[in-house]
Amino acid sequence: MRLFHILLLPLCLLFAQVGPGAGLLANMGPKMDDYKCGLNGGLCYYSPCPEPTESYGHCYRGRARCCA
């Protein structure tokens, strides 16, 4: 029983940081812009889009372009 409590404590600390959505697990999901870019057949580039492709969105929180 003591082992269960020892294993449960780190799990609770991961979920309950300062406030809701501020825990360590909040940033572990897929990044929405990057995920949508990949679903649409695009790739994220920090440089300008290659010649046959066009930019139609942003990736990495606006730091890169989504090219398709």
Side-chain angles (χ1 to χ4, degrees):
M1 188 68 166
R2 185 178 298 166
L3 180 64
F4 176 72
H5 287 107
I6 291 172
L7 294 175
L8 186 62
L9 178 65
L11 185 65
C12 291
L13 291 175
L14 283 175
F15 281 106
Q17 293 281 320
V18 176
L24 181 62
L25 295 177
N27 294 326
M28 295 182 82
K31 306 295 186 241
M32 293 309 285
D33 293 338
D34 312 341
Y35 184 70
K36 288 178 186 177
C37 181
L39 279 180
N40 293 329
L43 294 172
C44 297
Y45 290 100
Y46 285 105
S47 60
C49 294
E51 194 58 41
T53 62
E54 294 181 8
S55 175
Y56 73 91
H58 295 286
C59 299
Y60 307 121
R61 297 182 179 158
R63 289 179 281 188
R65 294 177 182 91
C66 182
C67 303

